[in-house]
Amino acid sequence: MKFPRALFINALIGITALMLAATGCTPAANPNTQPTFVTSTLENPQTPPSATTTVTPATTAVTTIPATTTPAVKELILSSTTSVRDSGLMDVLIPMFESETGYKVKPIYNGSGAAIALGQAGQADVLVVHSPAAELTFVAGGYGINRTFFAHNDYIVVGPSKDPAGIKGMTSTVAAFKKIAAAGSLFYSRGDASGTDTKEKSIWTTAAITQKGQSWYVEANTGMGDLLRIASEKGGYTLTDRSTYIAQKSTLSLDIMVENDFPTLINTYHVIQVNPGAFPGIKLNAEGGRAFVRFMVSPEAQRVIADFGVDKYGQPLFYADAGKSEAFYGTK
Amino acid sequence: MTYIINGIVQAFWMIVHGDRQVLQIVLLSLGVSGAATALSLLCGIPIGVALGLNKFPGRRFLVSLINTGMGAPPVVVGLVVLLFIWRNGPLGFFHILYTPTAMILAQFIIAMPLVSGFTMAGIQQLDPKLRLQIRALGASRLQMVWILLLEARLPLLAAVMAGFGAVISEVGASMMVGGNINGQTRVMTTAIVGEASKGSFDIAIALSIILMILVYLVNLLLTFIQQRSKNQ
């Protein structure tokens, strides 16, 4: 008994030492190096939750952050929708933000529903999402502040080229959905409470069709990229954001069926700071969250967003919208 | 068909040229899984030896726990670790969520029961008379355990193989506690899932090929040692 116990204790000491060494590398908070921002019209994170901050005029919020300041807390958790990753946009924007501000971003990608849920649990500092109704609920509940409109693109209905429901070229998405239901053609749904899923469900509601439970309606509970592949393999219709479709078009056998039906098919992206005051006991990175919101509407980021994908796909994947109101596109 | 061929061609191009992104992912995978396996050896071998050599009340219960742990689904381990280390979790103050440390912790929990279980089995299958003989020759208890471990080196190699093989190819826990963050916590398995769902099959295929080669090399090395010592 003597020997194994000694070895066991040694092992425990060794592991503890390793753990301490590993955790010692995490950035320590240094109260003396608070970043100083010149001006800001963004809501102060310490103010109590308010539901009136749905759209912040972004152009005036833009400030240049000196690259030399070191943030007090470096780690910034970004809970984001998958579409900005799958298209590759975030891989460009995040390094820009990091080198400009010194923050270290940890992006976690889920559908907008799950992305907002992570914020609602106080496990993220800032969100990038595209599910307006869920966002407004989140902000109204006091969980989010500085909700800022920064970009849009659009949804399209895609389907197999043989088009069994005969919807190709229709101008009304609602009418097209009605036709798919009448024909009983296969339709694949995200089924994951993401922004796209929420949009799709709202179109079924407008069309006054109970799609759930129908034999032709399949909920896959998966990301957009995976769902496009499923729809492509199974020869079904689906609703997708245009950017994910363009980025993967070459590996899919899906054609565009319905497009440019506005405002139904508008897809708006917002950046929202998680309210640091809403989670007693959890320390959020308030400065970092605010800096990220400001960054997303800065001229540099907006230029990247507007140009993104043009060289690779011959068309932009996103349209930069800093300073605009969503009402500009006929939605709220 | 063309994208399969393109994918494979691209994959070999990336491997031959040492694509920086691919290289970084491979190195991180080896680092995380290597550290987790090393820790699980440090902890698992003593536990395995203790359970293999001693009889005490509750031993069977502990063995049943280890056997269950050997089959624990990585996603479940990932979820439990996640709940412990996220911001308001009991270990949240360490701030290790979405870091390689968190992945090492999760993979350690996955590998540890495997190492303990294999060590215990290895020690138990030794001839009980060997212990008597060693003691009769005047060895201290410490010396006896050392000789037994040397005798059981082949099962111990199997323990290393099983532990490393399990964690290097594990995806669920790494995805949950690591987050598949580019340049920080992206390892081969999570990258394969992520890239395939993005439609970037070239990177996914390249990483799959590297992963298979790595697993093969590790097993080849261990098999080589195993066969050599058998032939002696």
Side-chain angles (χ1 to χ4, degrees):
Chain A
M1 263 323 272
K2 208 175 158 198
F3 172 68
R5 197 183 294 147
L7 196 64
F8 184 70
I9 290 166
N10 278 340
L12 276 183
I13 292 169
I15 289 160
T16 318
L18 270 166
M19 288 293 179
L20 286 177
T23 49
C25 303
T26 50
N30 183 350
N32 298 327
T33 49
Q34 286 280 354
T36 44
F37 297 112
V38 191
T39 55
S40 169
T41 59
L42 291 188
E43 189 183 341
N44 192 293
Q46 262 68 43
T47 52
S50 112
T52 55
T53 54
T54 45
V55 177
T56 309
T59 38
T60 46
V62 174
T63 50
T64 318
I65 299 150
T68 45
T69 48
T70 314
V73 181
K74 275 191 181 168
E75 181 195 81
L76 181 72
I77 298 182
L78 163 68
S79 177
S80 169
T81 167
T82 48
S83 47
V84 286
R85 168 199 63 183
D86 287 355
S87 55
L89 177 64
M90 277 301 165
D91 287 344
V92 182
L93 288 178
I94 288 173
M96 266 176 74
F97 173 73
E98 286 179 335
S99 68
E100 204 171 282
T101 58
Y103 287 104
K104 185 130 174 108
V105 179
K106 297 188 177 301
I108 305 301
Y109 298 101
N110 288 297
S112 286
I116 291 173
L118 206 59
Q120 197 145 337
Q123 303 299 332
D125 301 303
V126 65
L127 314 176
V128 168
V129 283
H130 67 128
S131 191
E135 291 163 27
L136 290 173
T137 311
F138 177 75
V139 172
Y143 300 106
I145 52 175
N146 295 322
R147 177 174 179 263
T148 308
F149 181 36
F150 73 93
H152 82 276
N153 59 17
D154 63 336
Y155 293 108
I156 50 178
V157 181
V158 296
S161 55
K162 61 178 195 293
D163 189 20
I167 60 165
K168 194 173 173 114
M170 287 179 77
T171 49
S172 160
T173 316
V174 172
F177 271 39
K178 281 180 177 160
K179 239 180 141 181
I180 291 172
S185 301
L186 269 181
F187 188 98
Y188 285 88
S189 167
R190 291 281 294 273
D192 61 352
S194 60
T196 310
D197 192 49
T198 310
K199 169 65 80 175
E200 178 219 300
K201 300 280 190 293
S202 78
I203 298 172
W204 289 117
T205 307
T206 312
I209 289 167
T210 316
Q211 85 289 359
K212 226 173 166 116
Q214 303 288 340
S215 59
W216 47 267
Y217 183 79
V218 187
E219 285 189 305
N221 196 355
T222 182
M224 197 66 246
D226 289 323
L227 188 72
L228 281 172
R229 193 155 319 285
I230 294 170
S232 169
E233 295 301 317
K234 304 270 186 186
Y237 295 97
T238 191
L239 180 78
T240 174
D241 63 291
R242 196 186 288 267
S243 62
T244 311
Y245 173 74
I246 292 172
Q248 303 200 15
K249 200 162 79 175
S250 59
T251 65
L252 300 169
S253 0
L254 291 172
D255 294 343
I256 296 179
M257 297 287 145
V258 181
E259 61 182 334
N260 302 329
D261 170 18
F262 299 120
T264 307
L265 292 182
I266 192 83
N267 180 19
T268 54
Y269 287 86
H270 287 79
V271 56
I272 308 174
Q273 183 187 353
V274 179
N275 185 1
F279 305 96
I282 303 182
K283 184 111 184 67
L284 294 187
N285 189 344
E287 284 302 334
R290 210 143 57 103
F292 192 82
V293 172
R294 206 162 10 201
F295 167 76
M296 290 300 278
V297 288
S298 69
E300 310 91 276
Q302 289 280 306
R303 203 174 309 120
V304 169
I305 293 168
D307 292 343
F308 187 77
V310 175
D311 51 345
K312 197 166 170 191
Y313 306 108
Q315 56 180 302
L317 299 186
F318 297 92
Y319 296 88
D321 287 318
K324 283 184 204 149
S325 152
E326 281 170 275
F328 186 79
Y329 299 106
T331 53
K332 284 195 272 194
Chain B
M1 194 56 207
T2 48
Y3 67 87
I4 300 178
I5 296 163
N6 282 345
I8 294 173
V9 169
Q10 283 268 4
F12 273 102
W13 203 242
M14 280 178 178
I15 296 168
V16 170
H17 279 246
D19 181 81
R20 256 191 76 184
Q21 200 191 346
V22 170
L23 195 70
Q24 190 186 32
I25 293 171
V26 171
L27 289 179
L28 185 68
S29 300
L30 289 177
V32 167
S33 296
T37 311
L39 285 176
S40 69
L41 291 177
L42 271 176
C43 208
I45 289 180
I47 292 176
V49 169
L51 287 174
L53 288 184
N54 301 297
K55 294 221 182 325
F56 52 88
R59 181 183 168 279
R60 282 190 186 185
F61 176 67
L62 281 180
V63 172
S64 73
L65 279 188
I66 295 226
N67 285 338
T68 307
M70 287 171 85
V75 276
V76 176
V77 175
L79 179 65
V80 172
V81 173
L82 176 74
L83 293 177
F84 268 82
I85 64 176
W86 76 357
R87 281 179 172 167
N88 46 355
L91 302 175
F93 58 91
F94 277 126
H95 288 289
I96 57 166
L97 186 55
Y98 308 131
T99 65
T101 312
M103 300 163 77
I104 293 173
L105 178 65
Q107 294 195 356
F108 162 73
I109 295 171
I110 294 167
M112 219 273 290
L114 286 164
V115 172
S116 310
F118 274 83
T119 307
M120 185 185 68
I123 293 286
Q124 277 180 326
Q125 75 180 30
L126 295 173
D127 191 342
K129 287 176 191 156
L130 186 63
R131 283 167 68 181
L132 283 175
Q133 197 183 359
I134 297 169
R135 292 306 291 270
L137 287 169
S140 67
R141 183 143 181 116
L142 196 141
Q143 285 170 323
M144 182 194 78
V145 170
W146 179 245
I147 293 167
L148 289 180
L149 281 176
L150 281 181
E151 277 303 306
R153 61 190 179 279
L154 298 184
L156 286 182
L157 273 179
V160 178
M161 259 192 232
F164 186 76
V167 294
I168 191 90
S169 55
E170 167 290 313
V171 58
S174 295
M175 191 65 112
M176 258 186 198
V177 304
N180 191 27
I181 301 172
N182 196 11
Q184 296 176 38
T185 58
R186 186 163 297 176
V187 290
M188 284 188 279
T189 51
T190 61
I192 291 169
V193 173
E195 295 301 324
S197 71
K198 275 164 65 175
S200 316
F201 290 105
D202 46 353
I203 299 179
I205 294 173
L207 289 168
S208 300
I209 292 172
I210 295 173
L211 184 56
M212 288 308 295
I213 291 175
L214 269 175
V215 171
Y216 176 72
L217 283 180
V218 168
N219 282 287
L220 184 73
L221 183 76
L222 292 169
T223 314
F224 183 73
I225 299 168
Q226 190 186 40
Q227 294 302 317
R228 197 188 56 177
S229 35
K230 235 180 211 162
N231 292 339
Q232 273 175 356

